[in-house]
């Protein structure tokens, strides 16, 4: 399962390099979403593998989240068209920029393992957890060549 380890490590390292404070792996219930020092947070969940003759496609869902600031102490907080006051637009913009940088870097790599996708869709997440969260969910498909049993 070297391919899985390598792709998760590569993705984790890229997310941290753009300013994501915490990257976790596994079930989304595992990170402590109440802990403010974790944010911005990314969580990687494996969602499947397709095996082929020459290669396997390993799929991950990645969630990136940050805490909404709903206090009046933040100057970037604005009232939106519906009268809601938060920095949601800023968070969504900043996270989209970070994800785009990670995606472009991963696409540019000429590695053994590479991203199969030409584009990715960012699906917005707006959560009222114990703290209000905003961010995106997206899926990445890594192409992992078949060689021996250590390559998958």
């Amino acid at each position: 399962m070297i391919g899985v380890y390598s792709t998760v490590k590569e993705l984790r390292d890229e997310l941290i390099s753009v300013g994501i404070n915490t990257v976790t792996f596994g079930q989304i219930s595992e990170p402590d979403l109440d802990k403010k020092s974790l944010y911005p947070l990314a969580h990687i969940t494996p969602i499947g593998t397709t095996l082929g003759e020459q290669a396997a496609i390993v799929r991950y869902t990645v969630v990136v989240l940050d805490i909404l600031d709903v206090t009046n102490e933040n100057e970037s907080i604005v009232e939106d068209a519906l009268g809601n006051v938060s920095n949601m637009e800023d968070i969504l913009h900043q996270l989209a920029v970070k994800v785009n940088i990670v995606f472009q870097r991963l696409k540019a790599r000429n590695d053994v393992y590479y991203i199969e996708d030409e584009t990715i869709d960012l699906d917005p997440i707006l959560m009222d957890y114990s703290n209000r969260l905003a961010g995106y969910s997206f899926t990445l498909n890594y192409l992992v060549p078949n060689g021996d049993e250590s390559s998958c």
Side-chain angles (χ1 to χ4, degrees):
M1 299 304 284
I2 299 293
V4 172
Y5 296 132
S6 298
T7 55
V8 170
K9 181 183 180 326
E10 177 180 77
L11 181 54
R12 177 191 168 278
D13 291 348
E14 286 296 340
L15 288 163
I16 289 172
S17 78
V18 296
I20 301 297
N21 288 342
T22 305
V23 179
T24 58
F25 179 84
Q27 294 183 358
I28 191 63
S29 59
E30 290 178 12
D32 181 0
L33 297 178
D34 290 329
K35 198 170 183 181
K36 291 185 179 186
S37 62
L38 295 177
Y39 295 94
L41 173 137
H43 185 76
I44 304 166
T45 303
I47 57 172
T49 301
T50 303
L51 301 176
E53 275 187 51
Q54 302 296 320
I57 298 171
V58 181
R59 295 181 304 281
Y60 302 104
T61 294
V62 181
V63 174
V64 291
L65 296 169
D66 206 347
I67 296 178
L68 294 178
D69 186 350
V70 291
T71 67
N72 291 327
E73 298 169 9
N74 187 339
E75 293 178 9
S76 69
I77 293 177
V78 293
E79 186 172 314
D80 67 16
L82 300 175
N84 299 317
V85 180
S86 76
N87 62 336
M88 182 187 311
E89 292 88 354
D90 291 337
I91 285 174
L92 292 174
H93 169 75
Q94 291 166 6
L95 291 176
V97 167
K98 291 176 186 211
V99 169
N100 187 45
I101 291 168
V102 168
F103 180 65
Q104 297 306 322
R105 286 180 183 171
L106 292 173
K107 283 293 295 173
R109 290 194 177 189
N110 215 359
D111 240 344
V112 173
Y113 315 109
Y114 62 93
I115 299 294
E116 184 183 54
D117 309 301
E118 291 299 319
T119 62
I120 56 172
D121 295 322
L122 300 181
D123 299 315
I125 297 173
L126 308 171
M127 295 174 60
D128 272 338
Y129 193 65
S130 60
N131 41 31
R132 293 183 60 204
L133 304 174
Y136 292 103
S137 172
F138 59 96
T139 300
L140 286 177
N141 297 303
Y142 268 95
L143 192 65
V144 178
N146 286 339
D148 55 36
E149 59 191 53
S150 67
S151 65
C152 287

